[in-house]
Each structure stands twice: as C-alpha cells, then as structure tokens.
Amino acid sequence: MWDVNALSAAVLRALKAYRLSEADAMDVCQDAWLDLLRAPGALRDEAKLGAWLTTTARRRALRMITRNRREMPRPLPEAETTPEAEVVRAERDRALWAAVDRLPESHRRMMRLLAYRPELSYAQLAGELGISPASVGRLRRRCLDRLKRTLEKGGWA
C-alpha cells in the first residue's frame, strides 16, 4: 500500500517553490489526495502516484495563488470608516444572516458554503451538499433569489 506520510512530505517539499503558507500548502496537499479519492480512475499507474499527486498539488497551488491575487481586499475609503458606517454595516450583516437563518436547511448550507468557502468548485459544493454537480447552479440561483425576496420583505434590498 502507499506510504501516505512519505508521499505527502514529498508533495509539501515540491510546494515550497510556490511560497504558500504552511496551512495553505497542507490544504493543497490534502486536496490533491481528495482529488485522487474522488476520481479513482485518474491514476492509471500506481507507480506514478507521487508524480500524479505532485502535479495535481502544483496545479491547485497555482489556482490558489491566482484566486488570492484576485481577492486582494481594497482599503475602504476614509468616509466609510466612521462609527456610523460601522453600525450600519453591522446591522446589515445581522439582517443578512437573520434572513439566511429563515431559509430552508439546504439553502442555509449553500449560503454558508458560498460565504465561508468561496474557493469551492461546483463539484466540491455538490459533494458538501450531497447533490449532483449539475444541480449546484440551479440550487445556488434559487437560494439567492429566495434570500433576496426575504431581504426585500425586511426592507434591506
């Protein structure tokens, strides 16, 4: 069988070139293993497992770096850092999550995944939600539409 610790260590060494944080490198390594489990036919020759994991992890690392560059937060304009703006922002956030809490369970789960794990692909969202990847887009749209209606009733949209 495979020496998971040795293979993971080799993948982590290869990821050092990408200058990821230790936590990100470990996440990428874990995701590479998960990719193998999700697609058992992807590895045709078990002797090449190390190379397959390393290549998969490198591709994931590049996607992570690209995504992180796009998600660089912009500083708020000075006018928005007032105490009043903070109170309005906190109240808006409270109203949003209160509206999410009124949604059906499947919609609440989708909204939390979208908010707290935006890096997930449709396939990964489907796995988390226990649905077909083809259903993710429709469920996402229904969730957002229902949330919008809920917020409009509360005077927030």
Side-chain angles (χ1 to χ4, degrees):
M1 205 57 185
W2 305 321
D3 183 351
V4 174
N5 291 332
L7 288 167
S8 294
V11 169
L12 290 169
R13 280 192 303 275
L15 291 175
K16 285 187 188 254
Y18 294 89
R19 296 183 178 171
L20 301 174
S21 70
E22 183 179 351
D24 285 344
M26 291 179 78
D27 285 347
V28 167
C29 181
Q30 179 179 340
D31 287 342
W33 280 102
L34 288 172
D35 287 346
L36 176 66
L37 293 174
R38 288 184 184 124
L43 179 64
R44 294 187 191 111
D45 181 359
E46 286 196 26
K48 295 182 181 178
L49 175 60
W52 187 93
L53 284 170
T54 302
T55 299
T56 301
R58 284 180 171 152
R59 289 177 182 158
R60 282 188 157 278
L62 289 172
R63 283 195 301 266
M64 179 182 280
I65 291 166
T66 301
R67 184 182 63 244
N68 288 345
R69 281 188 190 139
R70 278 187 297 217
E71 294 176 1
M72 290 299 292
R74 292 182 304 234
L76 293 173
E78 281 300 313
E80 291 186 16
T81 59
T82 65
E84 295 84 2
E86 290 298 320
V87 169
V88 169
R89 190 175 0 266
E91 180 59 22
R92 183 200 61 212
D93 291 350
R94 187 208 56 77
L96 172 67
W97 289 109
V100 168
D101 286 340
R102 290 192 296 272
L103 297 175
E105 176 60 27
S106 62
H107 292 193
R108 288 193 307 264
R109 288 183 64 215
M110 171 67 87
M111 291 295 97
R112 286 187 177 99
L113 287 169
L114 291 173
Y116 296 115
R117 299 191 57 205
E119 74 280 1
L120 293 179
S121 67
Y122 271 25
Q124 292 167 320
L125 282 168
E128 291 283 334
L129 296 167
I131 62 175
S132 158
S135 300
V136 171
R138 288 189 305 272
L139 178 61
R140 180 180 174 275
R141 173 68 0 218
R142 282 196 309 268
C143 293
L144 291 170
D145 288 345
R146 193 166 192 167
L147 180 60
K148 180 181 177 186
R149 287 191 306 272
T150 302
L151 289 168
E152 285 171 343
K153 287 180 190 173
W156 281 95

